[in-house]
Amino acid sequence: MTRSQELFERAQRVIPGGVNSPVRAFRAVGGEPLFIARGQGAHLWDTDGKEYIDYLGSWGPLILGHAHPEVLDAVVRAAAAGTSFGAPTEQEVELAELLCRLVPSLAKVRLVSSGTEATMSALRVARGFTEREKIIKIDGGYHGHADCLLVATGSGAATLGLPGSAGVTRGTAQDTLTVAWNDLSAVAAILEREPIAAVIVEPVCGNIGCVPPRPGYLAGLRDLCTRYRTVLVFDEVMTGFRVALGGAQALYGVQPDMTCLGKIVGGGLPAAAYGGRAEIMACVAPDGPVYQAGTLSGNPLAVAAGLTTLRLLERPGTYEKLEATSHRLIEGIGALAREAGVALQANRVGSMFTGFFSGSEVLDYASAKRSDAARFGRWFRAMLERNIYLAPSQFEAAFVSLAHTDADIARTLEAAHHAFQALT
Ligand code: HOZ
């Protein structure tokens, strides 16, 4: 028995499913989760000492790789000055100023501790601002696990084949309307029919796997929301600072009314944020009537990690380097699949990507679900055997970091070649 297997046995006795988040459970790909001992750069080591090239990056935050020395140094210095005050600090002002400078649509921003908190709070603010109740989300869109967003949800729920979640009341669920990704007319039909507080989208879907917006889709959402005075919320928890320094809104040139940030904004520690137009953010307590709070909001360690990460990302050439590495990897994987006669849709935006085991284009959740998830599982395990650590689900995105070297990419392509051959 390996050390990971031993730990998993112990974990299952005291933690539901043996994991602290369902996506970690490897249920859709078979086998058991690895227990991770440490990470450095683009590499991970499990508790049995086996090394992997990591394309999960803790589900997105680690764009600089693991244990980046400047981030570590900032966290250690922050910790030495005190780990939490529950009072304002200079550094959280610096982070808020930086966010408002980097993300085009942010006039004001509130720091929270997780992406779930960010989306849940943004929707409450949108409802308070518009004095409307219903929201629209995308079929397969995942925005964390607030009740109103666990409807037709992606990520772990898609992986496990759950359409939503027990424990969400009918009353809550009926205020969440869903439409297919990339279908503008479906959004228009609802907005025409009834008052809607907010439309929330991941501007690049990441939780049904990586599925980009069709040309004109985000701009179309912008126009519709403006026309019907509905708050357009971009959940940029995954795409923020990932697909461009200013997020997907900078990449596609479309400004939402509100933006949710997470993952990279905390540099690997628990920080997230939501913000938007000043008149909307004026609704947030203590300025306005929408209540939202948090003991650890703006936590000094998380703020230090986030600030340092964003400042490093601001250096010239960062996103060009990420693009070149990602291009080489995903084009390479696509070519190897073709060579092996394996039908694969290699979807990518910047450094986020998913290889869908499908013969037809993946444009939304319905087409993502037509992928051969069992075949993905076999490929995933073949890659893992060859020391490549990917997201353990067909319906998740994987991430390239600035720490991935040419040698890492070459090793990954070599592994992918053998893994595709093993499938056929
Ligand atoms: N957004 C991540 C998965 N798509 C969250 C990770 C988790 O649920 O633990």
Side-chain angles (χ1 to χ4, degrees), residues 37-49:
R38 70 185 180 94
Q40 183 64 60
H43 295 220
L44 282 178
W45 286 262
D46 69 14
T47 42
D48 294 285

Side-chain angles (χ1 to χ4, degrees), residues 21-24 59 142 155-156 206-207 238 263 396:
S21 193
V23 294
R24 301 177 192 176
W59 300 92
Y142 179 73
S155 190
N207 286 287
M238 204 179 273
K263 299 195 190 282
E396 295 283 1

Side-chain angles (χ1 to χ4, degrees), residues 96-107:
E97 285 170 348
L98 185 58
L99 295 179
C100 290
R101 177 162 66 75
L102 295 181
V103 181
S105 67
L106 290 183

Side-chain angles (χ1 to χ4, degrees), residues 28-30 357 372-386 419 422-424:
V29 290
F357 282 75
D372 188 340
R375 200 172 204 201
F376 169 83
R378 290 199 298 281
W379 189 73
F380 169 88
R381 286 196 304 278
M383 291 292 274
L384 196 64
E385 255 169 50
R386 292 169 176 81
L423 282 186
T424 48

